[in-house]
Amino acid sequence: MSSNIVVAIDGYSSCGKSTLAKALAKKLHFIYVDSGAMYRAVALYFIRNKVDSKNHEQVAEALKNIHLNFHSRDYQTHITLNDEEVSAEIRQMPVSDKVSEVAAIKEVRTEMVRQQQRMGKLKNVVMDGRDIGTVVFPHAQIKLFMTADPKVRAERRYKELLPTNPDMTLEDVFENLAHRDYADTTREESPLTRADDAIILDNTDLTPEQQLQLAIDLVMPFVIAAK
Ligand code: CDP
């Protein structure tokens, strides 16, 4: 096992993983990696270039032409797709509707996991996603599996998206989350599942400050031991 600290945060769609991951990384001065943003950027490329997810040659060609880069400013994810900033566009509904299909493709996962493992090799990182504690970093020192009531999750995401999507309804968001949870947990490649050694964190009734404190208490012993 490497000596750097890895905090792996997995869980269902929109249950506060990135809020916690960002806050934790900021507090501990770790690097934050939003693995979902990578799958979203790939999905955006597939939409724009009409890549057929079932066509292996098209997928392989697309992966050769996709270059992703993270820039972290104040622990906000800024991701570029072939040098274009796409951080806002990847959060919009067309990408949310497509991303689970793209994330189920074996070749896509192999490439993303390779890049994620490289990012977590030398530095202390907090990474959130669906397979971080099971596939990307099975030896992570801290693994959290986050969950929350589906209605609460939909309401939180709805509030987040409404300012830029005035026509969207709460039902649209609820359906998208339910669809992605189903696709993510039932896919063949690295389905979302709790690692045996992951701690379950249900944040339905927790404030962001409370969930942050819980996570800090878990990670601190490793930070102290590493000093
Ligand atoms: O923020 P939210 O919970 O809505 O999702 P996200 O973390 O941005 O991830 C978007 C989608 O990417 C998920 O629904 C999964 O289909 C996929 N994903 C994945 O398969 N593996 C990961 N490590 C991260 C995301």
Side-chain angles (χ1 to χ4, degrees):
M1 205 195 295
S2 57
S3 58
N4 58 306
I5 301 169
V6 175
V7 181
I9 304 182
D10 289 304
Y12 298 100
S13 297
S14 211
C15 61
K17 297 182 301 290
S18 69
T19 304
L20 174 62
K22 267 180 220 162
L24 189 62
K26 192 171 183 176
K27 186 90 190 169
L28 300 173
H29 304 288
F30 283 19
I31 307 272
Y32 165 54
V33 182
D34 174 353
S35 71
M38 300 169 73
Y39 291 97
R40 285 175 177 273
V42 174
L44 178 62
Y45 183 93
F46 275 42
I47 294 170
R48 285 178 175 178
N49 295 281
K50 299 190 172 50
V51 178
D52 176 358
S53 300
K54 294 196 181 69
N55 183 319
H56 291 288
E57 273 154 36
Q58 281 188 24
V59 169
E61 188 60 26
L63 285 173
K64 269 194 246 154
N65 294 325
I66 291 174
H67 300 285
L68 304 177
N69 255 304
F70 274 109
H71 305 273
S72 188
R73 273 200 300 276
D74 199 25
Y75 293 92
Q76 299 303 316
T77 302
H78 294 275
I79 187 164
T80 58
L81 167 61
N82 297 337
D83 295 327
E84 176 192 348
E85 164 85 57
V86 291
S87 312
E89 197 172 349
I90 59 168
R91 303 287 160 206
Q92 299 302 321
M93 268 303 183
V95 172
S96 294
D97 284 336
K98 179 84 173 169
V99 61
S100 288
E101 173 194 314
V102 172
I105 303 169
K106 187 174 187 217
E107 292 84 347
V108 171
R109 299 207 71 80
T110 304
E111 180 54 26
M112 295 304 113
V113 169
R114 194 182 63 77
Q115 294 189 20
Q116 289 152 10
Q117 286 173 335
R118 209 181 47 206
M119 287 186 244
K121 213 167 188 161
L122 301 170
K123 306 240 167 79
N124 292 336
V125 294
V126 181
M127 195 175 292
D128 73 340
R130 302 294 186 287
D131 59 343
I132 311 303
T134 50
V135 176
V136 184
F137 294 113
H139 301 298
Q141 291 88 338
I142 305 284
K143 298 182 187 178
L144 296 176
F145 189 84
M146 289 182 66
T147 169
D149 180 282
K151 275 198 199 125
V152 172
R153 294 197 262 137
E155 276 158 16
R156 287 176 185 160
R157 182 54 56 98
Y158 178 62
K159 268 194 209 143
E160 223 172 75
L161 290 170
L162 197 59
T164 48
N165 299 269
D167 296 334
M168 197 188 50
T169 66
L170 180 59
E171 285 68 38
D172 292 337
V173 177
F174 188 87
E175 271 168 33
N176 174 261
L177 298 186
H179 161 73
R180 281 200 283 133
D181 284 348
Y182 178 77
D184 293 345
T185 49
T186 56
R187 69 183 176 215
E188 227 166 87
E189 294 299 325
S190 319
L192 167 63
T193 172
R194 182 177 79 84
D196 290 340
D197 51 349
I199 296 162
I200 296 178
L201 203 164
D202 183 333
N203 71 2
T204 307
D205 299 313
L206 294 181
T207 63
E209 294 73 29
Q210 287 169 323
Q211 69 175 11
L212 174 61
Q213 194 52 54
L214 275 171
I216 289 173
D217 292 346
L218 290 167
V219 182
M220 252 358 235
F222 292 93
V223 174
I224 292 163
K227 275 186 180 159

